[in-house]
């Protein structure tokens, strides 16, 4: 690690110790609409008749199924295996029978069907044998990280990046602070708020385990300044734990402060470098629900098979939060929330800013499903014709990533991919702020997603072309080597033949001389 990297880490540590808050560029103040789903406690959703568990449950390619149709499985048993980013597993949400592995709506942003393992519950909810780590404080951090990876835990804030890989990388780079993100800034979503209200001890325990797993010195739990009940609950949990290295911090409520890089900037005043990671500043950022999942994985040997989902919006009768098994059809959750109202017009997975519409409530709950939002007609923006950009700069004013969306839009439409990279396309967090303020109704985020997919495809094509070039050059070198070796063998054979002929000639000459000498004798 170079001197500059050490200086950045020390700077971040010192700024955190000052216990002051900063600001990030741009952002929007939005109506939260959270209270409506916080009036009822979190309730466990009953087992559905069928569970549809998608094989794609984290960033990267989908898992490989390790079960077959007709196989009996136990709750928590591994049913899929990932080979991307440190591997990991996908687990059965309950005991039952694997009926099939089929293409089914998989709750992905693309809207395409995906491979799903269909499980028919047997009603026993019988666990596989479990081995909790009772004395986690004395356990080797490597074993804690392995347990996290094996439990299939991913970032539950929405990114679903494999937590096992993330903590492995963090421990290798050296971390001084764990940040637990409880700043649930997107409207309507309240699953994290309810979790912090009802399970603060589990969050604090998860924070302590993460600290040990990565060797961090302290933990900051960041919550919104409007969460008074949450602050008190977490503060009491910290006091009960006896930990003096965990601090609860209130941050200003502004969207998208829950973004990893934006929250880090608020807490430290420092920006994560473009193309960099929080570990460059000695920080590990995790969602509070992820920390709870870590605590359960270590102390209960419970893999990630369920999560709290907010079911809300004008289109449901009784908005609330439900603890749902992964694979539960969304239709079941809507029914538990009282069913649809007459206003129901659109079904969205996630929040109104970064969520995506679903074509059907047959889609299952996935690890990334923090909210099922049913919007009414009044909540939908009426379709309006896209107008030319008037260069007003509003999109740049609100962009939390300090980009120039108008310029990105221009170069993407012109397929100038190198320029798009230079304008920071990969730094776009797709928060939707630019879409909201654009007076020309340009779907900027849609263009940025398209641009990212094109850049990604071109990168894949370049990689394929590079691999093809390497294979071609290796083949040419191999053919040249074979040709040289064949030529060398032929030369050696010719040389051996000449040597043999020379030896035979020498022998013949010697015989001739001997005969001549014999003939000259009297």
């Amino acid at each position: 690690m170079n001197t500059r990297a050490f200086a950045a880490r020390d700077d971040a540590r010192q700024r955190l110790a000052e216990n002051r808050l900063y600001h990030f560029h741009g952002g929007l103040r939005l109506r939260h609409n959270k209270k409506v789903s916080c009036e009822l406690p979190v309730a466990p959703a009953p087992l559905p008749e069928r569970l549809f568990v998608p094989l794609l449950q984290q960033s990267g390619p989908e898992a490989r199924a390790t079960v077959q149709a007709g196989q009996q499985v136990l709750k928590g048993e591994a049913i899929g295996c990932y080979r991307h980013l440190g591997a990991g597993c996908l687990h059965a949400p309950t005991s039952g029978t694997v009926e099939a592995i089929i293409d089914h709506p998989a709750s992905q942003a693309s809207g395409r069907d995906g491979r799903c393992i269909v499980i028919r519950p047997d009603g026993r909810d019988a666990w596989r044998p479990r081995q909790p780590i009772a004395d986690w404080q004395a356990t080797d951090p490597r074993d804690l990280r392995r347990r996290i990876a094996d439990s299939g835990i991913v970032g539950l804030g929405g990114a679903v990046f494999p937590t096992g890989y993330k903590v492995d990388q963090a421990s290798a780079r050296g971390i001084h602070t764990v940040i637990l993100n409880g700043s649930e800034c997107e409207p309507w979503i309240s699953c994290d708020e309810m979790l912090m209200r009802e399970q603060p001890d589990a969050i604090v325990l998860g924070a302590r385990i993460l600290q040990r797993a990565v060797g961090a010195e302290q933990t900051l739990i960041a919550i919104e300044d409007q969460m008074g009940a949450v602050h008190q609950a977490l503060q009491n949990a910290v006091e009960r734990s006896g930990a003096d290295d965990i601090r609860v911090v209130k941050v200003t409520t502004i969207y998208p402060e829950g973004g990893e890089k934006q929250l880090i900037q608020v807490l430290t005043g420092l920006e994560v470098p473009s193309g960099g990671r929080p570990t460059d500043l000695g920080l590990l950022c995790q969602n509070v629900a992820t920390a709870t999942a870590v605590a359960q994985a270590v102390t209960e040997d419970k893999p990630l098979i369920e999560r709290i989902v907010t079911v809300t919006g004008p289109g449901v009768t009784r908005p609330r939060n439900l603890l749902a098994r992964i694979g539960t059809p969304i239709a079941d959750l809507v029914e538990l929330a009282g069913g649809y109202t007459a206003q129901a017009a659109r079904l969205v997975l996630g929040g109104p800013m970064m969520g995506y519409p679903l074509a059907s409530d047959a889609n299952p709950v996935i690890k990334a499903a923090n909210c099922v939002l049913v919007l009414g007609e009044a909540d939908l923006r009426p379709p309006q014709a896209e107008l030319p950009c008037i260069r007003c700069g509003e999109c740049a004013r609100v962009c939390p990533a300090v980009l120039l969306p108008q310029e990105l839009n221009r170069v993407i439409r012109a397929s100038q991919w190198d320029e798009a990279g230079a304008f920071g396309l990969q730094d776009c967090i797709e928060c939707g702020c630019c879409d909201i303020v654009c007076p020309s109704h340009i779907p900027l985020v849609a263009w940025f997603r398209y641009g990212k997919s094109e850049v990604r495809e071109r990168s894949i094509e370049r990689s394929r072309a590079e691999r093809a070039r390497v294979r071609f050059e290796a083949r040419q070198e191999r053919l040249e080597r074979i040709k040289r070796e064949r030529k060398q063998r032929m030369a050696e054979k010719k040389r051996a033949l000449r040597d043999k002929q020379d030896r035979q000639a020498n022998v013949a000459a010697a015989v001739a001389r001997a005969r001549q000498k014999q003939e000259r004798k009297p």
Side-chain angles (χ1 to χ4, degrees):
M1 192 178 298
N2 58 35
T3 305
R4 179 177 294 180
F6 276 118
R9 289 162 182 260
D10 289 342
D11 193 10
R13 182 190 282 110
Q14 181 177 350
R15 286 172 177 247
L16 288 172
E18 293 173 357
N19 196 21
R20 57 171 294 195
L21 298 179
Y22 302 83
H23 299 280
F24 63 89
H25 181 270
L28 294 171
R29 295 189 181 275
L30 305 171
R31 291 189 61 185
H32 267 201
N33 296 312
K34 294 176 182 287
K35 186 177 179 181
V36 66
S37 58
C38 294
E39 295 177 351
L40 296 173
V42 176
L47 278 171
E49 293 182 2
R50 298 288 187 279
L51 288 162
F52 299 85
V53 183
L55 288 171
L56 183 58
Q57 290 274 351
Q58 65 181 42
S59 57
E62 67 178 25
R64 176 180 59 84
T66 56
V67 292
Q68 298 177 344
Q71 182 174 336
Q72 300 291 317
V73 293
L74 294 172
K75 183 178 180 180
E77 182 179 340
I79 58 176
C81 176
Y82 291 99
R83 296 183 177 180
H84 178 65
L85 295 180
C89 297
L90 188 64
H91 302 84
T94 189
S95 58
T97 305
V98 176
E99 285 196 338
I101 302 175
I102 61 173
D103 288 332
H104 186 271
S107 301
Q108 302 301 325
S110 64
R112 295 192 295 265
D113 290 355
R115 301 291 287 172
C116 293
I117 300 174
V118 184
I119 299 175
R120 185 179 75 250
D122 58 16
R124 297 185 300 119
D125 211 26
W127 274 97
R128 58 152 169 77
R130 292 194 281 175
Q131 297 178 329
I133 300 175
D135 191 6
W136 60 266
Q137 292 173 300
T139 301
D140 190 313
R142 291 174 295 183
D143 294 332
L144 295 177
R145 296 195 296 270
R146 174 46 51 193
R147 172 61 63 86
I148 293 170
D150 290 344
S151 298
I153 299 175
V154 297
L156 295 178
V160 291
F161 193 83
T163 304
Y165 180 82
K166 195 170 182 178
V167 296
D168 268 341
Q169 296 297 304
S171 64
R173 293 178 62 85
I175 297 297
H176 57 76
T177 303
V178 173
I179 296 175
L180 293 190
N181 188 350
S183 177
E184 197 173 36
C185 58
E186 189 160 359
W188 295 104
I189 307 175
S190 61
C191 55
D192 287 348
E193 179 170 350
M194 293 304 293
L195 173 68
M196 290 186 286
R197 284 191 195 183
E198 298 187 5
Q199 300 184 49
D201 294 293
I203 294 171
V204 172
L205 177 58
R208 297 174 66 198
I209 293 173
L210 282 170
Q211 272 188 235
R212 177 161 179 79
V214 300
E217 303 165 4
Q218 63 175 343
T219 294
L220 268 63
I221 306 177
I223 64 172
E224 294 179 351
D225 54 9
Q226 296 181 357
M227 298 178 176
V230 166
H231 181 267
Q232 191 59 52
L234 286 172
Q235 199 63 52
N236 293 340
V238 171
E239 293 174 3
R240 285 193 296 269
S241 72
D244 58 359
D245 51 4
I246 299 178
R247 184 156 46 97
V248 183
V249 181
K250 291 183 179 181
V251 296
T252 306
T253 302
I254 183 171
Y255 177 82
E257 195 164 53
E260 183 178 70
K261 293 183 178 181
Q262 284 67 45
L263 182 59
I264 288 173
Q265 189 170 357
V266 167
L267 295 174
T268 67
L270 301 174
E271 291 186 35
V272 176
S274 176
R277 299 175 182 175
T279 50
D280 297 332
L281 301 177
L283 306 172
L284 171 67
C285 194
Q286 295 284 3
N287 181 265
V288 288
T290 307
T292 303
V294 166
Q296 294 173 341
V298 171
T299 62
E300 302 175 31
D301 194 12
K302 179 181 179 180
L304 183 55
I305 57 174
E306 60 187 12
R307 67 158 300 147
I308 298 176
V309 182
T310 303
V311 185
T312 187
V316 293
T317 303
R318 191 171 58 252
R320 64 182 310 174
N321 284 273
L322 297 165
L323 181 63
R325 312 288 179 104
I326 303 300
T328 301
I330 286 174
D332 290 28
L333 301 189
V334 174
E335 184 179 350
L336 290 168
Y340 295 107
T341 67
Q343 302 178 55
R346 179 173 295 174
L347 182 65
V348 176
L349 190 67
M353 299 296 290
M354 300 184 72
Y356 47 89
L358 297 177
S360 166
D361 56 12
N363 281 271
V365 171
I366 57 176
K367 295 179 181 180
N370 54 2
C371 179
V372 173
L373 176 61
V374 186
L375 296 173
E377 287 288 351
D379 304 293
L380 303 179
R381 297 176 66 184
Q384 300 188 52
E386 180 181 336
L387 302 173
C389 176
I390 61 174
R391 315 292 289 180
C392 64
E394 280 297 292
C395 54
R397 181 184 65 82
V398 300
C399 177
V402 202
L403 304 178
L404 296 173
Q406 71 273 31
E407 292 299 318
L408 268 176
N409 179 56
R410 177 181 62 81
V411 297
I412 289 172
R413 287 175 183 254
S415 299
Q416 298 173 347
W417 306 116
D418 291 338
E419 287 82 354
F423 277 112
L425 174 61
Q426 296 304 324
D427 292 322
C428 171
I429 63 174
E430 302 176 19
C431 64
C433 288
C434 53
D435 272 7
I436 293 292
V437 301
C438 179
S440 296
H441 314 297
I442 301 172
L444 293 165
V445 173
W447 278 104
F448 300 157
R449 286 173 177 163
Y450 162 73
K452 286 182 180 181
S453 67
E454 286 294 311
V455 169
R456 186 162 50 246
E457 287 298 321
R458 280 163 171 72
S459 176
I460 292 172
E461 287 299 322
R462 283 196 298 270
S463 297
R464 289 173 179 168
E466 178 64 18
R467 289 195 298 270
R469 183 188 65 79
V470 171
R471 287 197 302 270
F472 175 78
E473 291 180 351
R475 180 176 182 274
Q476 290 299 107
E477 184 179 349
R478 184 173 66 254
L479 292 176
E480 288 294 327
R481 186 179 69 252
I482 292 172
K483 185 177 179 180
R484 289 195 303 269
E485 291 174 351
R486 184 182 294 121
K487 187 175 181 180
Q488 184 178 354
R489 286 196 300 271
M490 291 296 296
E492 290 175 353
K493 286 182 179 180
K494 289 180 179 179
R495 186 165 55 251
L497 180 61
R498 286 196 302 270
D499 292 345
K500 181 179 179 181
Q501 291 173 344
D502 290 344
R503 286 195 300 272
Q504 290 176 344
N506 290 336
V507 170
V511 170
R513 287 194 299 272
R515 285 178 179 174
Q516 291 175 0
K517 187 182 293 184
Q518 188 69 28
E519 292 174 354
R520 284 198 297 269
K521 288 183 180 180

